[in-house]
Amino acid sequence: MAKMKGEDESAYEKGRAENIKKNYQRMADLKLPELAAKNAPPKQLRRPRPTRGINLKRERKPVVARRSLRVKGMNPDGVMLEGIAKETRDGIVFASDKLGLGSFREEKPSRLMGPVTFESLNEDKELNQKLFGSLNGGLGTAYKPETSVEDLADVHLEEEHVLKLTRSGITHLDTAPRTDNVAIAAGDKDGHVGFWCPSNVSEDSEVVVEVRPHSQYVSGLRWCPMGSGALYTCSYDGSVRKLDIKQQTFLELFSSEEYELSAFDVTHPHKVLLCDNLGNFMSIDTRVSSKKPVLDAIGLHNRKINTIHADPGGSDLIVTSSSDAAVAVWDLRRMGPKNAISTYHHPKSCQAAFFAPDGSQRMLATCYDNHLNVWDTKKRPVPFQPEVKVNHDTQTGRW
């Protein structure tokens, strides 16, 4: 019986091997391995650090080893113990009022007061002079954009073209509206602003400069669209600044300890629209020396306003996007909590909403539901579905 069982197993194995061979041959005839290799997802390779741009030398802070006072034969320090009312067996700590919760919280960086002199973190005065010379139109070859829709169809990014512009993740980026040369500015999460003036001659002649006009997250950055050449910035630290190229100084246009500014737009060299993380809107006039809003705070949304954008077509319309999952269009002449001209509700938080630059009053909104939506704001009533809906991963976690 044992012999017959072994023979059966041997016959089974032979048959199985033949079937596998036939299946492999069949897949080869259908060219399935080539198709699978062609459609396989690309391997996630570690992206190399950019070699162009600012040179970051990371400062390593010395690690202070903790030493037990009991091991040293010393009595324990009871100061921190006074801030604890009781502690459970699971490690849950109930704070006491003796020290206050502020004793355990990390303090925010101090806000910069008044004008901030343009001091490059690159520590290269020659680069500073090149930058301001370029911003004044004194340097660089004349640049005339001739990009068409067809040219953009084949746009791709090469690693050699990646440039380090700021120390932390970039939050906002804008290109100066000029035709003589290219000037790009970007703000990051720690209050830095980087400037890049690329050169069409060589990489060695390009200008990359980084400064820090704010102490916290840069929540807005915009070159004035009216041709004045000024750069406006705002931050979570409650300040709005304007780069004066002649004085080489970031002037303080507005400052508040009450509002944590989360979005802004510049509609005129003298008019700036502001929003905060509580859903409030206000407006300032840079010609007013008091640095107070000409329009006091008005609650437009229930949660943080992420972007505000004025219609490039010249109308009095603005659009706001908020973390309350709503995008709303407003008229600057009739601002009020319940005066929205139209509201576009989304399934999740909306991080951005912008009008089309052609003045058609079409509006693009981004949402955490991984879609880009295009709405025609002229249509009444508000349509249930957008005119265009595009799948797009909005939760990459990248800056």
Side-chain angles (χ1 to χ4, degrees), residues 195-264:
F195 295 87
W196 178 31
C197 295
S199 171
N200 53 9
V201 179
S202 67
E203 293 182 9
D204 295 334
S205 59
E206 66 184 4
V207 179
V208 180
V209 177
E210 185 189 31
V211 293
R212 194 181 188 189
H214 297 281
S215 60
Q216 296 182 43
Y217 184 105
V218 176
S219 55
L221 181 145
R222 183 84 188 275
W223 294 96
C224 182
M226 307 303 291
S228 67
L231 177 71
Y232 293 78
T233 61
C234 79
S235 168
Y236 279 179
D237 62 13
S239 65
V240 178
R241 296 189 178 277
K242 169 187 173 183
L243 174 60
D244 189 306
I245 298 176
K246 294 182 178 179
Q247 299 183 29
Q248 299 188 11
T249 303
F250 282 93
L251 304 178
E252 185 180 84
L253 305 179
F254 176 77
S255 179
S256 171
E257 295 183 357
E258 180 181 358
Y259 302 105
E260 190 173 271
L261 303 178
S262 60
F264 92 136

Side-chain angles (χ1 to χ4, degrees), residues 63-103:
V63 179
V64 180
R66 298 179 61 184
R67 295 288 184 268
S68 171
L69 294 178
R70 179 180 57 81
V71 174
K72 292 182 178 181
M74 301 171 60
N75 294 326
D77 187 359
V79 175
M80 293 301 297
L81 185 61
E82 293 181 0
I84 300 176
K86 63 178 180 178
E87 183 176 359
T88 65
R89 293 178 58 184
D90 299 328
I92 301 176
V93 176
F94 295 89
S96 171
D97 297 332
K98 291 184 179 181
L99 292 181
L101 293 178
S103 304

Side-chain angles (χ1 to χ4, degrees), residues 146 149 184 195 240 258 274 314 379:
E146 299 177 352
V149 176
I184 298 171
F195 295 87
V240 178
E258 180 181 358
L274 302 174
K379 288 188 176 180

Side-chain angles (χ1 to χ4, degrees), residues 31 45 66 92 102 105 132 167 180 207 219 223 369 382:
K31 296 183 178 181
L45 300 178
R66 298 179 61 184
I92 301 176
R105 290 176 180 170
F132 285 106
R167 297 178 180 237
D180 56 345
V207 179
S219 55
W223 294 96
D369 68 346
V382 175

Side-chain angles (χ1 to χ4, degrees), residues 276-314:
D276 71 358
N277 63 347
L278 297 179
N280 296 316
F281 163 84
M282 66 195 82
S283 174
I284 63 172
D285 190 328
T286 61
R287 295 168 295 184
V288 179
S289 59
S290 63
K291 297 181 182 179
K292 293 183 178 180
V294 294
L295 182 63
D296 291 333
I298 302 173
L300 301 184
H301 290 270
N302 297 324
R303 297 183 65 184
K304 171 186 172 183
I305 296 178
N306 295 307
T307 60
I308 179 171
H309 187 227
D311 177 22

